[in-house]
Amino acid sequence: MSFAVSFPVMLRTKDGVRIDAAHTPSRGPGDLCVVLAHGFTGAWRERTSRRIAHVFSGFGGVVAFDFRGHGRSGGHSTVGDEEVLDVDAAVRHARTLGYARVAVVGFSMGAAVAVRHAALHGGVDAVVSVSGPGRWYYRGTVPMRRVHWAMEQRLGRAAARLVKGTRIRSTGWDPVPLAPYEAAPLVSPTPLLVVHGDSDAFFPIDHAHQIYDAATEPKELWIEEGYGHAESAATPDLIRRIGRWVSASVVAP
């Protein structure tokens, strides 16, 4: 499969972190942009992310980026806290490119950041949380116990750096950031779509319900039968359906 051409750019956050990003021009409407926020240990150059960006480009332009501590971006990952500044830099870049309508679509950790960014910073026209956690410190599945080991143990952080190229800050959270379900009611009046699979091995569907139940209108919840977790399990059909929802939900200024 050949992907739409992307144009790399280096952004800088308000706290001075370099963020590696890329703009994929729209193959559809010219005024809509999707900001694509990847999951923990992901990167915009990975094939799964590029495939998703290609599908979304049929609905509008796409700005994809590497979170701090990931890929070619600078800094260290704070696993969902200061990453709101990375999303903010990507949204500002989309506006600079001339896009009048901007939606943020986040996967897993990126979903948590997307919801928190919309609540704390605003400036977006729609938010989509895909496979996102509703709350912090969840250890109820084997994959999430492995994630916590990678975040909390020195050996785990070293393994994440060597195997995935992800650099994780060792100091942890102080204070604990606003959880996604706590941020959800602050997203309104921006439209919020919560997407979750009933076969997610990381977060059971009660996380999706926790976000959705806490949010206020306008909001929508999709529980996808047979869908696993985040980017790797997302089919082109699901991405196209999200793209159509974004196109219909984002009102032109």
Side-chain angles (χ1 to χ4, degrees):
M1 176 181 177
S2 59
F3 300 113
V5 176
S6 297
F7 299 92
V9 62
M10 191 64 70
L11 310 178
R12 190 169 293 275
T13 66
K14 290 181 178 178
D15 63 343
V17 177
R18 292 178 299 103
I19 297 297
D20 187 44
H23 171 229
T24 303
S26 174
R27 296 182 292 117
D31 66 334
L32 172 64
C33 183
V34 174
V35 170
L36 190 57
H38 63 74
F40 184 57
T41 75
W44 77 259
R45 284 182 171 83
E46 290 183 349
R47 185 173 179 82
T48 51
S49 293
R50 292 171 60 214
R51 172 177 56 83
I52 290 170
H54 175 79
V55 176
F56 274 139
S57 70
F59 299 89
V62 180
V63 172
F65 65 95
D66 290 348
F67 278 118
R68 61 185 62 204
H70 289 71
R72 301 186 186 184
S73 289
H76 288 77
S77 174
T78 65
V79 198
D81 182 9
E82 295 173 4
E83 281 78 5
V84 292
L85 299 174
D86 308 346
V87 170
D88 198 55
V91 169
R92 286 188 285 111
H93 182 60
R95 298 293 189 191
T96 299
L97 291 170
Y99 290 105
R101 301 184 295 159
V102 178
V104 178
V105 179
F107 292 83
S108 194
M109 182 190 79
V113 177
V115 173
R116 296 186 67 250
H117 171 267
L120 298 174
H121 292 261
V124 297
D125 301 294
V127 183
V128 182
S129 165
V130 185
S131 305
R135 56 197 179 274
W136 305 134
Y137 300 114
Y138 178 73
R139 292 177 169 85
T141 58
V142 171
M144 283 309 300
R145 288 194 286 274
R146 291 172 179 161
V147 168
H148 279 89
W149 174 77
M151 294 187 299
E152 296 168 354
Q153 301 298 320
R154 178 181 296 179
L155 182 58
R157 291 190 295 272
R161 184 177 65 252
L162 292 172
V163 176
K164 301 296 293 186
T166 302
R167 305 169 306 282
I168 305 169
R169 192 172 68 182
S170 63
T171 53
W173 288 333
D174 184 21
V176 175
L178 195 70
Y181 84 93
E182 295 172 319
L186 305 178
V187 172
S188 180
T190 301
L192 171 65
L193 171 63
V194 180
V195 182
H196 213 93
D198 65 1
S199 299
D200 194 311
F202 287 75
F203 303 113
I205 59 174
D206 72 281
H207 284 260
H209 286 287
Q210 187 176 29
I211 297 169
Y212 178 78
D213 291 345
T216 56
E217 296 290 349
K219 61 180 181 178
E220 196 165 335
L221 173 65
W222 299 354
I223 301 299
E224 297 293 307
E225 183 177 357
Y227 175 43
H229 185 70
E231 297 102 319
S232 61
T235 64
D237 177 66
L238 176 60
I239 301 304
R240 281 191 289 268
R241 285 196 287 124
I242 293 173
R244 288 193 290 269
W245 181 92
V246 168
S247 297
S249 299
V250 176
V251 179

